[in-house]
Amino acid sequence: MAKKKRKAGSIAIPFLFTFFVAFLILGGAGLFIYNYFGLNKDSEPEDLYVTDYDTVTYKDSHTILLVLDIPEQKCSTTFVVMRSVPKEKKILFTGVPTNTITLVDGKQEKLQDVYTNEGIVSAEKFISNLLGIEIKKYMKFNSDAFLKVSDIMGGVSYGVTADIIGFQNTDKEQYLNGQQTITLMTYSLFKGGESERASMAASVLSAMLNQSDGKMLADGFDRNFATIIDMIDTNISSVDYKKKEYAIKFMLNYGTSISHFSMITGTTSSNNFIMDQGYSKDIVYEYFTDHTKDKKKSSKSSKESKASSSSRSEERRVG
């Protein structure tokens, strides 16, 4: 008796069914592992940002006196105070007129004379007392050092209002290389005198920083710092740098238009500048105040507000 042939379909169907079940089992296990270990989550910049933000604190804030001293320009020294607040990703530049006078130990002193006769440390103390802030660090640049900084930053585009030889005669911004920036910052014939020159110097430095590539600066910060530190007179040590390095790089990486400048108001009499007051209350609050407690209170208040709102919504649903 001839055997009855089995149809091909009767073999294919059980095979496909078995394959399908195995696929579901293996796929389900794979999906569980994928989700369990968080492999389905993309690495977002925000996660890194939050981690860095919590690491950087207001203790990373610092104040440095920047001095541009180029005797060959036959111009007074340039003094600019730089206040950095990495936690808030912001920097403030403030120019101080060299002809500023104030009482020091009951005796009238002028900033330029103090610097020339007693040195940068005494000038640092003079400005600290003048503005009512603490300055512990300074960086003194000569021509070569400033040119190197300008090269690293990429120069600056700035609107030059004075009629200076070698500059474009335009009301619009013009690109300035390092040497042109030095010429502008040491120009001694501004209509507003040393007060205008000091404000302009702070404004130029602020613009230069804002126009630079923050991430590029952060990436090359170690190398550039090592180069600059050997070219200038400073009391900033390698230990000081290491303490602030992480916070500064955070500020450069994540900040946008981080730099601002402020003007010192006052009157000029007999070629002496008399300041009206130190930093305003607003500037002191914004740049020289630790807001850690304020932010904790704000965060707690926000959480309580959300909890209260959630509770009211739940009561309305129940009602």
Side-chain angles (χ1 to χ4, degrees):
M1 184 177 178
K3 289 184 180 178
K4 191 176 180 181
K5 257 187 170 181
R6 293 182 66 181
K7 293 181 180 178
S10 62
I11 298 174
I13 291 174
F15 175 77
L16 289 174
F17 178 76
T18 303
F19 177 80
F20 182 67
V21 171
F23 177 78
L24 286 177
I25 293 173
L26 293 175
L31 182 62
F32 172 77
I33 294 172
Y34 187 68
N35 289 327
Y36 182 80
F37 288 99
L39 299 177
N40 62 328
K41 296 179 181 178
D42 294 331
S43 177
E44 299 179 352
E46 287 77 5
D47 295 336
L48 178 62
Y49 174 85
V50 170
T51 302
D52 284 353
Y53 184 80
D54 289 340
T55 303
V56 178
T57 71
Y58 286 102
K59 291 182 180 179
D60 292 308
S61 301
H62 51 279
T63 307
I64 301 175
L65 174 62
L66 306 178
V67 178
L68 180 62
D69 188 357
I70 307 178
E72 58 268 29
Q73 294 291 125
K74 298 180 180 179
C75 176
S76 297
T77 313
T78 304
F79 298 94
V80 176
V81 176
M82 181 181 73
R83 174 65 175 178
S84 301
V85 188
K87 178 71 173 178
E88 299 291 341
K89 303 183 293 298
K90 59 189 179 186
I91 292 177
L92 180 70
F93 290 99
T94 306
V96 183
T98 56
N99 60 341
T100 301
I101 59 173
T102 191
L103 292 177
V104 179
D105 297 328
K107 179 183 176 183
Q108 179 176 296
E109 297 279 10
K110 181 183 293 188
L111 176 56
Q112 182 66 61
D113 294 340
V114 169
Y115 173 75
T116 301
N117 300 326
E118 302 175 33
I120 192 169
V121 174
S122 294
E124 186 180 68
K125 292 178 181 178
F126 180 102
I127 295 174
S128 292
N129 293 331
L130 185 74
L131 299 178
I133 60 173
E134 185 177 50
I135 306 176
K136 292 184 176 180
K137 301 298 178 181
Y138 63 81
M139 299 175 75
K140 176 182 172 182
F141 297 82
N142 60 15
S143 179
D144 290 338
F146 189 86
L147 288 174
K148 185 61 179 177
V149 170
S150 177
D151 181 56
I152 292 171
M153 304 286 275
V156 61
S157 291
Y158 193 78
V160 180
T161 57
D163 185 13
I164 307 175
I165 297 175
F167 290 78
Q168 298 175 25
N169 184 20
T170 175
D171 294 332
K172 298 179 180 180
E173 288 187 353
Q174 54 184 292
Y175 174 78
L176 307 180
N177 59 32
Q179 189 55 60
Q180 288 174 312
T181 305
I182 288 177
T183 299
L184 176 63
M185 291 177 66
T186 57
Y187 185 66
S188 60
L189 299 177
F190 285 104
K191 293 179 180 179
E194 282 297 285
S195 176
E196 182 178 348
R197 187 173 76 88
S199 296
M200 179 276 308
S203 175
V204 167
L205 292 178
S206 179
M208 182 181 289
L209 181 55
N210 282 337
Q211 293 171 23
S212 63
D213 186 328
K215 189 177 185 310
M216 184 184 72
L217 291 179
D219 291 342
F221 202 70
D222 293 339
R223 180 182 66 257
N224 292 329
F225 178 81
T227 299
I228 296 298
I229 209 70
D230 288 336
M231 300 178 70
I232 64 174
D233 176 15
T234 182
N235 61 348
I236 298 176
S237 67
S238 57
V239 175
D240 294 327
Y241 171 71
K242 284 297 180 184
K243 288 180 179 179
K244 305 297 183 184
E245 174 192 2
Y246 183 84
I248 294 172
K249 289 181 179 179
F250 161 79
M251 176 171 60
L252 293 173
N253 266 315
Y254 296 114
T256 303
S257 297
I258 63 176
S259 184
H260 305 272
F261 76 97
S262 67
M263 299 174 59
I264 290 181
T265 60
T267 56
T268 300
S269 177
S270 301
N271 202 33
N272 292 324
F273 181 80
I274 305 170
M275 188 180 68
D276 290 337
Q277 62 173 10
Y279 281 122
S280 67
K281 291 182 179 179
D282 291 339
I283 288 181
V284 170
Y285 179 78
E286 185 176 356
Y287 289 92
F288 294 88
T289 304
D290 186 333
H291 296 287
T292 303
K293 293 181 179 179
D294 297 342
K295 292 185 179 297
K296 285 182 178 179
K297 288 180 181 178
S298 176
S299 177
K300 182 179 179 182
S301 176
S302 177
K303 289 179 180 178
E304 290 176 348
S305 177
K306 288 180 180 179
S308 176
S309 176
S310 177
S311 177
R312 288 196 297 271
S313 297
E314 187 65 29
E315 288 174 359
R316 284 197 295 270
R317 284 199 295 270
V318 173

mmCIF file of all heavy atoms in Angstrom, residues 152 216-229 241 249:
data_model
loop_
_atom_site.group_PDB
_atom_site.id
_atom_site.type_symbol
_atom_site.label_atom_id
_atom_site.label_comp_id
_atom_site.label_asym_id
_atom_site.label_seq_id
_atom_site.Cartn_x
_atom_site.Cartn_y
_atom_site.Cartn_z
ATOM 1 N N ILE A 152 45.298 84.357 20.643
ATOM 2 C CA ILE A 152 44.530 83.216 21.153
ATOM 3 C C ILE A 152 43.030 83.482 21.048
ATOM 4 O O ILE A 152 42.246 82.602 20.665
ATOM 5 C CB ILE A 152 44.909 82.922 22.620
ATOM 6 C CG1 ILE A 152 46.342 82.398 22.708
ATOM 7 C CG2 ILE A 152 43.936 81.910 23.240
ATOM 8 C CD1 ILE A 152 46.883 82.289 24.120
ATOM 9 N N MET A 216 36.485 76.380 22.189
ATOM 10 C CA MET A 216 37.870 76.290 21.724
ATOM 11 C C MET A 216 38.823 76.787 22.813
ATOM 12 O O MET A 216 39.882 76.210 23.038
ATOM 13 C CB MET A 216 38.062 77.108 20.450
ATOM 14 C CG MET A 216 39.455 76.990 19.839
ATOM 15 S SD MET A 216 39.672 78.053 18.398
ATOM 16 C CE MET A 216 39.734 79.671 19.187
ATOM 17 N N LEU A 217 38.434 77.877 23.501
ATOM 18 C CA LEU A 217 39.255 78.400 24.593
ATOM 19 C C LEU A 217 39.370 77.381 25.715
ATOM 20 O O LEU A 217 40.440 77.196 26.302
ATOM 21 C CB LEU A 217 38.654 79.701 25.139
ATOM 22 C CG LEU A 217 38.712 80.928 24.228
ATOM 23 C CD1 LEU A 217 38.055 82.120 24.913
ATOM 24 C CD2 LEU A 217 40.144 81.269 23.851
ATOM 25 N N ALA A 218 38.246 76.729 26.028
ATOM 26 C CA ALA A 218 38.246 75.720 27.092
ATOM 27 C C ALA A 218 39.141 74.541 26.732
ATOM 28 O O ALA A 218 39.912 74.051 27.563
ATOM 29 C CB ALA A 218 36.821 75.246 27.365
ATOM 30 N N ASP A 219 39.058 74.100 25.484
ATOM 31 C CA ASP A 219 39.843 72.949 25.037
ATOM 32 C C ASP A 219 41.350 73.229 25.101
ATOM 33 O O ASP A 219 42.147 72.337 25.406
ATOM 34 C CB ASP A 219 39.459 72.551 23.605
ATOM 35 C CG ASP A 219 38.064 71.955 23.521
ATOM 36 O OD1 ASP A 219 37.541 71.547 24.580
ATOM 37 O OD2 ASP A 219 37.491 71.916 22.415
ATOM 38 N N GLY A 220 41.740 74.461 24.794
ATOM 39 C CA GLY A 220 43.167 74.791 24.791
ATOM 40 C C GLY A 220 43.615 75.565 26.007
ATOM 41 O O GLY A 220 44.710 76.146 26.026
ATOM 42 N N PHE A 221 42.782 75.580 27.047
ATOM 43 C CA PHE A 221 43.046 76.437 28.201
ATOM 44 C C PHE A 221 44.343 76.065 28.927
ATOM 45 O O PHE A 221 45.122 76.946 29.299
ATOM 46 C CB PHE A 221 41.868 76.376 29.175
ATOM 47 C CG PHE A 221 41.791 77.572 30.079
ATOM 48 C CD1 PHE A 221 41.446 78.817 29.584
ATOM 49 C CD2 PHE A 221 42.081 77.464 31.431
ATOM 50 C CE1 PHE A 221 41.380 79.928 30.411
ATOM 51 C CE2 PHE A 221 42.019 78.559 32.267
ATOM 52 C CZ PHE A 221 41.666 79.794 31.759
ATOM 53 N N ASP A 222 44.570 74.789 29.140
ATOM 54 C CA ASP A 222 45.779 74.367 29.853
ATOM 55 C C ASP A 222 47.033 74.816 29.108
ATOM 56 O O ASP A 222 47.960 75.374 29.699
ATOM 57 C CB ASP A 222 45.796 72.839 29.998
ATOM 58 C CG ASP A 222 44.693 72.337 30.919
ATOM 59 O OD1 ASP A 222 44.201 73.136 31.730
ATOM 60 O OD2 ASP A 222 44.320 71.154 30.816
ATOM 61 N N ARG A 223 47.063 74.556 27.818
ATOM 62 C CA ARG A 223 48.227 74.909 26.997
ATOM 63 C C ARG A 223 48.440 76.423 26.952
ATOM 64 O O ARG A 223 49.569 76.908 27.134
ATOM 65 C CB ARG A 223 48.033 74.359 25.584
ATOM 66 C CG ARG A 223 49.178 74.669 24.637
ATOM 67 C CD ARG A 223 48.908 74.145 23.234
ATOM 68 N NE ARG A 223 47.783 74.823 22.582
ATOM 69 C CZ ARG A 223 46.569 74.312 22.454
ATOM 70 N NH1 ARG A 223 46.300 73.104 22.912
ATOM 71 N NH2 ARG A 223 45.590 74.978 21.857
ATOM 72 N N ASN A 224 47.357 77.152 26.737
ATOM 73 C CA ASN A 224 47.480 78.606 26.626
ATOM 74 C C ASN A 224 47.849 79.261 27.952
ATOM 75 O O ASN A 224 48.611 80.234 27.983
ATOM 76 C CB ASN A 224 46.167 79.196 26.099
ATOM 77 C CG ASN A 224 45.907 78.811 24.659
ATOM 78 O OD1 ASN A 224 46.841 78.630 23.875
ATOM 79 N ND2 ASN A 224 44.648 78.662 24.289
ATOM 80 N N PHE A 225 47.318 78.722 29.039
ATOM 81 C CA PHE A 225 47.661 79.272 30.353
ATOM 82 C C PHE A 225 49.150 79.107 30.626
ATOM 83 O O PHE A 225 49.819 80.029 31.098
ATOM 84 C CB PHE A 225 46.849 78.589 31.455
ATOM 85 C CG PHE A 225 47.191 79.069 32.845
ATOM 86 C CD1 PHE A 225 46.650 80.247 33.345
ATOM 87 C CD2 PHE A 225 48.077 78.350 33.646
ATOM 88 C CE1 PHE A 225 46.989 80.704 34.613
ATOM 89 C CE2 PHE A 225 48.417 78.797 34.908
ATOM 90 C CZ PHE A 225 47.865 79.973 35.399
ATOM 91 N N ALA A 226 49.653 77.920 30.305
ATOM 92 C CA ALA A 226 51.080 77.653 30.524
ATOM 93 C C ALA A 226 51.953 78.609 29.710
ATOM 94 O O ALA A 226 53.015 79.054 30.171
ATOM 95 C CB ALA A 226 51.391 76.202 30.155
ATOM 96 N N THR A 227 51.486 78.946 28.515
ATOM 97 C CA THR A 227 52.237 79.863 27.652
ATOM 98 C C THR A 227 52.206 81.287 28.208
ATOM 99 O O THR A 227 53.240 81.947 28.337
ATOM 100 C CB THR A 227 51.656 79.860 26.222
ATOM 101 O OG1 THR A 227 51.745 78.543 25.671
ATOM 102 C CG2 THR A 227 52.409 80.838 25.329
ATOM 103 N N ILE A 228 51.009 81.758 28.525
ATOM 104 C CA ILE A 228 50.836 83.136 28.997
ATOM 105 C C ILE A 228 51.506 83.375 30.349
ATOM 106 O O ILE A 228 52.133 84.413 30.576
ATOM 107 C CB ILE A 228 49.336 83.490 29.092
ATOM 108 C CG1 ILE A 228 48.686 83.464 27.704
ATOM 109 C CG2 ILE A 228 49.143 84.861 29.739
ATOM 110 C CD1 ILE A 228 49.269 84.457 26.736
ATOM 111 N N ILE A 229 51.377 82.408 31.243
ATOM 112 C CA ILE A 229 51.890 82.595 32.602
ATOM 113 C C ILE A 229 53.397 82.826 32.615
ATOM 114 O O ILE A 229 53.943 83.464 33.514
ATOM 115 C CB ILE A 229 51.514 81.381 33.490
ATOM 116 C CG1 ILE A 229 51.370 81.803 34.968
ATOM 117 C CG2 ILE A 229 52.518 80.264 33.348
ATOM 118 C CD1 ILE A 229 50.182 82.648 35.257
ATOM 119 N N TYR A 241 45.661 77.926 39.814
ATOM 120 C CA TYR A 241 45.053 77.572 38.529
ATOM 121 C C TYR A 241 44.271 76.271 38.628
ATOM 122 O O TYR A 241 43.143 76.172 38.142
ATOM 123 C CB TYR A 241 46.135 77.451 37.457
ATOM 124 C CG TYR A 241 45.622 76.890 36.154
ATOM 125 C CD1 TYR A 241 44.782 77.643 35.332
ATOM 126 C CD2 TYR A 241 45.945 75.586 35.753
ATOM 127 C CE1 TYR A 241 44.297 77.117 34.142
ATOM 128 C CE2 TYR A 241 45.463 75.070 34.566
ATOM 129 C CZ TYR A 241 44.636 75.837 33.765
ATOM 130 O OH TYR A 241 44.134 75.315 32.595
ATOM 131 N N LYS A 249 36.617 76.368 32.844
ATOM 132 C CA LYS A 249 36.294 75.616 31.632
ATOM 133 C C LYS A 249 34.786 75.400 31.505
ATOM 134 O O LYS A 249 34.225 75.437 30.408
ATOM 135 C CB LYS A 249 37.020 74.273 31.626
ATOM 136 C CG LYS A 249 38.520 74.398 31.411
ATOM 137 C CD LYS A 249 39.187 73.034 31.401
ATOM 138 C CE LYS A 249 40.680 73.148 31.158
ATOM 139 N NZ LYS A 249 41.357 71.829 31.180
#
